[in-house]
Amino acid sequence: MTPTSHRHLIPTETFTATYRLAGTRTEAEDKAAALCVEQTIEFPADLVWVEEISRHIVARVGEVREAGERSFDIDIQFSADVAGTELPQLLNVLFGNASLLPGVRLQRFEPGPQLLSHYRGPRFGVDGVRRLVRARHRPLLCTVLKPMGLSAEELADLSYRFALGGVDLIKDDHGLTDQRFSPFRERVRRCAEAVERGNRETGGTCRYAPHVTGPAHELHDRARLAKLSGAGALLLAPGLAGFDAMRRIADDDDIDLPILNHPAFLGSFIVRPDHGISHFALFGQLARLAGADATIFPNFGGRFSFSQDECRETADGCRQPMGNLRPIFPVPAGGMKRSRLVEMVEFYGNDVMLLIGGDLHRHPEGLTAACAELRKALE
Amino acid sequence: MTPTSHRHLIPTETFTATYRLAGTRTEAEDKAAALCVEQTIEFPADLVWVEEISRHIVARVGEVREAGERSFDIDIQFSADVAGTELPQLLNVLFGNASLLPGVRLQRFEPGPQLLSHYRGPRFGVDGVRRLVRARHRPLLCTVLKPMGLSAEELADLSYRFALGGVDLIKDDHGLTDQRFSPFRERVRRCAEAVERGNRETGGTCRYAPHVTGPAHELHDRARLAKLSGAGALLLAPGLAGFDAMRRIADDDDIDLPILNHPAFLGSFIVRPDHGISHFALFGQLARLAGADATIFPNFGGRFSFSQDECRETADGCRQPMGNLRPIFPVPAGGMKRSRLVEMVEFYGNDVMLLIGGDLHRHPEGLTAACAELRKALE
């Protein structure tokens, strides 16, 4: 073999990822040094025979900051070339094999312009979604079609009543896919029609967001079919379908619909504060990179046990500057009660989409009245 | 709206999933009851107005068994109709929102014939891969192309030397995708050609497994291109691409290649014994359902901190009967040393594929000699 020059391995850009590492300072620093290899060459450092690989492909430890008792935030610098131009590989670099290591949590990452140039990000973001539903300042209201087991016709009837009440978005329950009790094609057609009928009566701008997560060979076509059938947004669970399936839909000019990110199958990244991916990075940064316009997550005080800090982190991840990527709506959910409306808006501010499902069914005057009451309160 | 009959909600089949739930017996039973709702209708049980939904769509708690101190294995029975015909929805039912709950671990599931009829599973499995590499009884040997940063030409040179040494499979490092230092198309062409050249010289059956995980719009085409370029197997990371992307490739008769499952980005499911998905279900059952023929996982005593029990569980998940789905190869990996060969074969038995990467480069007489020595030991 002829000798090869390796000068092309000198990166044109690097980016930083911050990991929270458990242990004493020495242990945390050792973990960081191991991550530099594990997340790149995954090869015994002493055996690398190409100097440029050791110098430029292997990541480097940067700043070390104490984050708590036996806990350190350590910056690691990666060559942007290692992450390449593809989202799955960026996920791989950020947390691929690292996911297998206890006491390692990805806190955040700071992609530079070259890396970000490969990502269009949210097509609508906060401002775009606000334009679509003609709501300049107020918090948005979202609700859900459930329980699973209803027919497409029954779900359409719910949709109509929700739309009459003036909610901004009606999403499928994420358990609805293409089951025989409510086939995808029929459900989307009927529910989109019902929402449109409601809008005609109210002059409203309610949008229906069908759940399009499906088999790999059909998923993208479901999103296109949803568009053609009159859907006004899409619901997708990247934990089930892959983050890049969302990115592909977001990038499709023929679809051109806002996307709601659902956290199903992603929870194991966030249930422990000492492992996984932070709320900030998972529900905020990665959702935005994958093109979500709004990101659903379990609210504090609901069925799931997340803290106010974690929810604030999520909202920060939706909003903090990230190159050209638009800010998106945090969508607190998971057993939200109508009675908590004021508390939620005080906590999250106006740039929030409140997702209230089952509790609407408790309103003594029915669904439409429940929605209208909330909508009025938000205005 | 006309009243609808809901008799079609009576399931034609149910299946059982077993969860390990933390807490006292009462706490665990309460968690199980909550999961029955959370994983199906996700709706206040007292508000459901259709009796058939409460009776047939909501899952049911089955047997409760003590699993340790403050830990219970509880069976939950689901209607197969809820899981429908699609893998993402099956994942959703098994662990979608459950992933957001601490103290919940999916131990195993028992799909019935109706549910399994939607899955072809591993195309080759243990016997099929053995036929391809003409190895009837012995353990198989796999190695890896790394470190990242080498050019396609340099990786092809490594491939050639590995093939001469008689390894059964040569896989890309899972960090290799389509970076500019080693573009996918060129790498696959060169490495496949190098392995073929090696085989011609030795009369061997070595196979090259390129890493095909890539963008959603390209992934399937990469697998097809790999086939056309002479690849003999494929490496895919379902944590990055989605399990169903693997299923789609496995089901494609034009591709018709064995698939190696890589655990990147899946580790958060398994780093804690009290949360996530068991090794048995994640690396065994789900990998098989998605069509993997071999499943890579971190071996005990390597760079990752997994126990012998967890590794035994993984091997069990690869081998235990699962309807018509073929058994597959467990592929222990992660800092495997040549010196541990005998120990590994004693532990896993002959139906194992040993993955040894970096350590081959420590052999004083070079890569080909290192491979030949191991191959001889396995025979």
Side-chain angles (χ1 to χ4, degrees), chain B residues 352-363:
Chain B
V352 66
M353 186 185 289
L354 299 171
L355 176 52
I356 305 186
D359 197 52
L360 295 179
H361 295 260
R362 292 201 193 277
H363 195 285

Side-chain angles (χ1 to χ4, degrees), chain A residues 126-127 129-141 168 205 329 351 375 379:
Chain A
V126 168
D127 291 345
V129 173
R130 284 193 173 289
R131 269 194 302 277
L132 293 178
V133 298
R134 297 205 303 259
R136 291 182 74 167
H137 302 298
R138 65 171 171 82
L140 303 191
L141 184 60
D168 297 297
T205 58
F329 278 105
D351 282 344
R375 169 71 184 261
E379 282 175 349

Side-chain angles (χ1 to χ4, degrees), chain A residues 6 38 42 46 81 86 92 96 99 146 154 174 180 216 222 244 265 267-268 272 274-275 303 362, chain B residues 6 38 42 46 81 86 92 96 99 146 154 174 180 216 222 244 265 267 272 274-275 303 362:
Chain A
H6 293 90
E38 189 68 51
E42 206 195 329
D46 61 302
D81 296 332
E86 305 170 1
N92 201 7
S99 71
K146 51 188 182 182
E154 291 168 303
H174 79 286
R180 65 188 178 96
R222 281 199 193 166
D244 205 59
F265 216 68
S268 296
R272 295 276 185 176
D274 63 349
H275 175 81
R303 287 200 310 279
R362 292 200 192 277
Chain B
H6 292 90
E38 190 67 52
E42 208 194 327
D46 61 303
D81 296 332
E86 304 169 359
N92 201 7
S99 71
K146 51 189 185 183
E154 291 167 305
H174 80 287
R180 65 188 178 95
R222 280 198 193 164
D244 205 58
F265 217 66
R272 294 277 185 175
D274 62 349
H275 176 81
R303 288 199 308 280
R362 292 201 193 277

Side-chain angles (χ1 to χ4, degrees), chain A residues 12 18 68 80 87 100 113 124 131 168 229 233 288 316 338 345 358:
Chain A
T12 49
T18 304
L87 184 53
L100 295 155
F124 296 89
R131 269 194 302 277
D168 297 297
S229 305
R288 279 163 85 184
D316 288 347
R338 288 172 290 140
V345 175

Side-chain angles (χ1 to χ4, degrees), chain A residues 297-300 306-315 347-348:
Chain A
F297 63 98
N299 196 22
F300 62 93
F306 294 101
S307 69
Q308 290 203 2
D309 278 352
E310 289 168 326
C311 293
R312 196 173 287 117
E313 248 195 45
T314 304
F347 185 83
Y348 291 104

Side-chain angles (χ1 to χ4, degrees), chain B residues 120-366:
Chain B
R120 176 170 176 163
R123 179 177 283 265
F124 295 89
V126 168
D127 291 345
V129 173
R130 285 193 172 288
R131 270 194 301 277
L132 293 178
V133 299
R134 296 206 302 258
R136 290 182 73 170
H137 302 297
R138 66 171 171 82
L140 303 190
L141 184 60
C142 179
T143 191
V144 196
L145 297 180
K146 51 189 185 183
M148 176 196 283
L150 296 180
S151 67
E153 194 180 356
E154 291 167 305
L155 293 169
D157 178 64
L158 290 180
S159 305
Y160 174 67
R161 291 192 277 155
F162 286 136
L164 285 185
V167 302
D168 298 296
L169 268 123
I170 301 168
K171 75 169 190 68
D172 277 347
D173 190 16
H174 80 287
L176 299 176
T177 56
D178 190 33
Q179 294 102 333
R180 65 188 178 95
F181 42 75
S182 160
F184 178 79
R185 188 180 285 262
E186 183 193 353
R187 181 175 80 249
V188 176
R189 184 176 53 74
R190 283 186 186 267
C191 292
E193 186 279 327
V195 168
E196 181 49 36
R197 187 155 43 92
N199 283 340
R200 279 199 304 273
E201 294 182 30
T202 63
T205 57
C206 179
R207 293 188 155 237
Y208 167 53
H211 182 218
V212 296
T213 304
H217 62 285
E218 262 188 60
L219 195 161
H220 200 79
D221 288 338
R222 280 198 193 164
R224 292 189 168 188
L225 180 66
K227 166 74 174 193
L228 295 173
S229 305
L234 302 171
L235 175 71
L236 188 62
L240 301 170
F243 274 94
D244 205 58
M246 178 180 282
R247 194 271 320 151
R248 183 184 177 197
I249 291 172
D251 283 356
D252 188 330
D253 291 334
D254 291 334
I255 295 176
D256 193 31
L257 289 175
I259 298 176
L260 277 73
N261 181 79
H262 194 283
F265 217 66
L266 288 177
S268 296
F269 291 112
I270 52 152
V271 289
R272 294 277 185 175
D274 62 349
H275 176 81
I277 303 180
S278 71
H279 284 64
F280 179 92
L282 184 68
F283 295 144
Q285 293 190 296
L286 291 179
R288 279 163 85 185
L289 211 52
D293 299 286
T295 188
I296 300 168
F297 64 97
N299 196 23
F300 62 92
R303 288 199 308 280
F304 303 91
S305 50
F306 293 100
S307 68
Q308 290 202 3
D309 278 351
E310 289 167 326
C311 293
R312 196 172 290 119
E313 250 193 44
T314 304
D316 287 346
C318 293
R319 295 164 181 170
Q320 281 191 12
M322 203 177 164
N324 290 328
L325 268 52
R326 294 181 170 88
I328 64 174
F329 278 105
V331 189
M336 289 271 291
K337 301 239 179 300
R338 289 173 288 141
S339 55
R340 293 185 67 199
L341 197 76
V342 173
E343 178 197 357
M344 292 301 94
V345 175
E346 278 176 3
F347 185 83
Y348 291 103
N350 270 2
D351 281 343
V352 66
M353 186 185 289
L354 299 171
L355 176 52
I356 305 186
D359 197 52
L360 295 179
H361 295 260
R362 292 201 193 277
H363 195 285
E365 291 165 44

